[in-house]
Amino acid sequence: MEAIIFTLEKWEFKYIRMKNIGLVTLYERNYGSSLQCYALKCTIEKMNYHCDVIGFSNQGVDKYLHYVGELKTVAWNSLRYRGYYADYRKTRSARIHYSHSLSKESAHRLWMFTETVLQAQKFSSSTLRILGNDNNYVRFIAGSDQVWNGHKNINPNYFLRFAPEAKRMALSASFGADSVPDYNRKQISKYISEIPDISVREVAGQRIIEDLTGRKVELLSDPTVLLDAEEWRHFAHNGIRHSEPYIFAHFLDAPSDTVINEISSYANEKGLDILLFAYPHEEVDEDKHFKLVDGGPEDYVSLIDEAEFVCTDSFHSVLFSINLETKFIVYPRRYRHDHPQMSRIETLLYKYGYTERMGGAGTTIDAIAEMKFHDCKSIIAKEKEKLLTYLHKNLMPISENEVFPRLKDYNDCTGCGVCSIVCPHHAITMQPDKNGSYSPVISHEKCVKCGICEKSCLRDIPMTVDYPQAFIGYNIDDMLAQQSASGGIFSAIAAEIIQQGGIVYGAAIDFNRDGVQVIHKEAGKQEELLPLLKSKYVQSECSNVFKRIQQKLSDGVVVLFCGTSCQVNALYRYLGKREYRNLYTMDLICHGVPGQKLFSDYIDYLGKKKGSRVKSFDFRTKRDGAIQYEMKVGYEDLEDYEYIQKMSSSYYRLFMSMNSYRICCYHCEYASLFKPADITVGDYFEIRDDYPDIYERELKDRYSISSVLVHNSKGEELVSRYGQNIRLIPVDAKKVQTSHGNLRKPSQYTSLRKTVFTILQQSGFEGVERYFKKRDVLLFFPKFLLNRK
């Protein structure tokens, strides 16, 4: 780890920085692609790097420019190369077919895996260029799988063109074919020549690169071998188990009638079921006893592991069969295009000594079933070692420098302030950075290196890892629900705790003569509860109440603390444990938090614009119970409130587009179903689509509904003891997760974030408001054209 020193006058902030690796690969709608990505991501993170899986999705002007560029490429190549357009159409048709050939359920499970486990983020071209030049990213890795397929229009991002040349490397990259067509040779040759470190997955790839550039590159295995058989079995321990002996049939393209009949005959002879996994090919007659089975990546691995026999046309199904020592036969794939792609499977079979397991040309399942399955562990171990050697050679080794005290990396710091309040010598203060978020700054004149701050910052407080119980919920007290942000779960529980003599802590917007601050406050009376209700789209100062909470707990008072997940965990780290009989915690489904200074600057801007100080502020309103995304602003010298619609507010637009949060929010460790609090609450706008029967039966007259996740026994106790005014309806946690992006992965910023913060520093919110108005005018035509398409 690299020691970083941030200097501000006489203050110094020393911390350990975790560097980032960007992994640019194929990972969607394919089991092998997603699992090779998973294996490589896990390995990189074991090396103490952050590993971000990066995809591409252009928006706005970038989408328009990409669309125009694609048309130009197709037109130009169609004129220059005979047969190009016919080839382009056939290849494009095949890609569309593959993208829709998965069953709906399997496609959903693969998508959930990429969302919740890989947590892949898709960036526009302009945002990628910002990432490429970000000093926090030390390397970008292209590969594995068919990232360099030359039989389609070239995407420069798969050749890492957005990053400086020194940051580029390729690991087990594949061309997916035996050659590169003439219309892409020049471009691919140029792009490859500008990647310093390259390894490929197939012998054909070595030949292509040598032919194009004269370079000899290393041959490495697919990254799935980075995890051994036992590690894959652990990964798949919750996967599908089939009670009867079976053949695992996994065909990316429909098998021929000959292959179907051969598999069916062998299954009948041996008394085996046939599980056709994920791809419901029309050509497979149900009378042949093929049974369609859906599943996610963990099911794919477990079913291969426990199969009697694997029949497939898939490269990765073969490799997993070898790794898990399951008998297999691989058939030539019946591609929907004219580009041979057998070299990858041929290389694989040759490497592991299984060339005789290629079906067709007289080779049958019966013949292969009699062959001995020789031990490949030593070969796999050797291939794994070659991959690890390559990674270690091309990634800087990480070692800890003796910088003291060591706090979380600036990019990981949540700004909770625990390090500041525990310091007995007042050597740490929270200071705003250039984007308005507060971070700890250490005075080394005062620091005596006692380590208390480090212990509090880095202390690990284990949280529940079981799937939570999920509910739809709302406050049956309509008047209190109207005062709440959504369904009023917090208000109902908090009111009951106060009624029974307890204390509640939550965020409130505090206006005074010095300005505005969002700060956690204590409520021991019902009238003190109202400021804690409703949404605050800004980070609250919460550490100010931690000492008070500790005292109340010692006195035996029941305490409810509500905040973001990182604030809840900060409280536990301050207290040093979770096990308090009288402490309950509630967190939120959080998108991310803008900094205090950013919000304060916006309030000042509104006051100057109106010529009067702001005295009250709501981020959302309710009309007839329905949530409205509008700001309600009260001014000291004006009688009427001002209502600002979200598209008319630069602050609101930045928040809703995820471009104003502190940097740690973009790789939030709590963006999943698993939270540190006892219960989690959030909106549930998707209730009508997810549960139409429940909605029609009970909820159609209620506009504000909350989702509720109960994580542990304390959470169950909280809702049973203090939830008298709550109506809870059990639902599926997975469905709640599907409908809430931040229960799957962190928010994602765009290039707009950098642009706007630069304008803010130069021209304040006046400049940002002008920028958005000009931007809306400039984007009108591209949006109009793309919408017509």
Side-chain angles (χ1 to χ4, degrees), residues 649-687:
S649 164
S650 57
Y651 187 95
Y652 223 133
R653 292 180 70 171
L654 284 170
F655 179 84
M656 297 301 287
S657 66
M658 302 179 286
N659 283 298
S660 60
Y661 311 155
R662 67 179 299 131
I663 195 66
C664 68
C665 298
Y666 300 108
H667 47 87
C668 173
E669 63 181 300
Y670 308 107
S672 72
L673 278 177
F674 310 112
K675 302 284 189 180
D678 299 322
I679 69 170
T680 298
V681 297
D683 297 317
Y684 205 159
F685 299 124
E686 301 80 8
I687 181 63

Side-chain angles (χ1 to χ4, degrees), residues 593-613:
V593 287
Q596 287 262 3
K597 187 177 183 300
L598 190 69
F599 178 60
S600 178
D601 289 349
Y602 182 66
I603 293 296
D604 290 344
Y605 160 74
L606 292 178
K608 290 176 184 176
K609 185 178 176 182
K610 282 292 185 180
S612 177
R613 290 174 60 88

Side-chain angles (χ1 to χ4, degrees), residues 254-317:
S256 67
D257 290 341
T258 301
V259 170
I260 293 171
N261 290 331
E262 181 180 322
I263 295 172
S264 180
S265 297
Y266 183 80
N268 286 335
E269 178 187 338
K270 301 297 183 181
L272 302 174
D273 292 343
I274 307 173
L275 305 186
L276 182 66
F277 187 71
Y279 292 86
H281 301 296
E282 295 178 0
E283 294 83 349
V284 180
D285 191 338
E286 290 184 3
D287 291 340
K288 299 294 185 181
H289 309 295
F290 283 76
K291 176 185 177 183
L292 179 66
V293 175
D294 292 311
E298 64 280 7
D299 305 310
Y300 170 78
V301 175
S302 67
L303 287 173
I304 289 177
D305 185 33
E306 298 194 354
E308 296 294 318
F309 214 97
V310 171
C311 299
T312 187
D313 62 1
S314 159
F315 170 90
H316 281 102
S317 291

Side-chain angles (χ1 to χ4, degrees), residues 43 492 525 617 648 744 760:
T43 302
K525 301 176 182 177
F617 190 94
S648 300
R744 302 194 302 269
L760 270 168

Side-chain angles (χ1 to χ4, degrees), residues 83-92 151 181 183 337-339:
Y84 165 80
Y85 188 67
D87 188 37
Y88 168 78
R89 289 194 63 182
K90 183 176 286 189
T91 304
R92 185 171 182 270
H151 289 274
Y183 53 82
H337 51 69
D338 301 326
H339 316 305

Side-chain angles (χ1 to χ4, degrees), residues 541-596:
E541 165 55 48
C542 64
S543 61
N544 61 297
V545 299
F546 286 176
K547 186 174 182 180
R548 177 79 170 164
I549 290 174
Q550 189 175 47
Q551 184 60 54
K552 290 291 183 182
L553 293 174
S554 298
D555 293 341
V557 178
V558 172
V559 171
L560 171 65
F561 177 85
C562 181
T564 62
S565 298
C566 55
Q567 289 175 331
V568 169
N569 210 35
L571 173 61
Y572 286 132
R573 284 190 285 106
Y574 174 81
L575 296 173
K577 61 179 182 178
R578 295 178 61 94
E579 297 78 20
Y580 278 89
R581 177 185 52 80
N582 49 332
L583 172 63
Y584 300 97
T585 57
M586 180 186 300
D587 62 9
L588 316 168
I589 302 176
C590 176
H591 299 264
V593 287
Q596 287 262 3

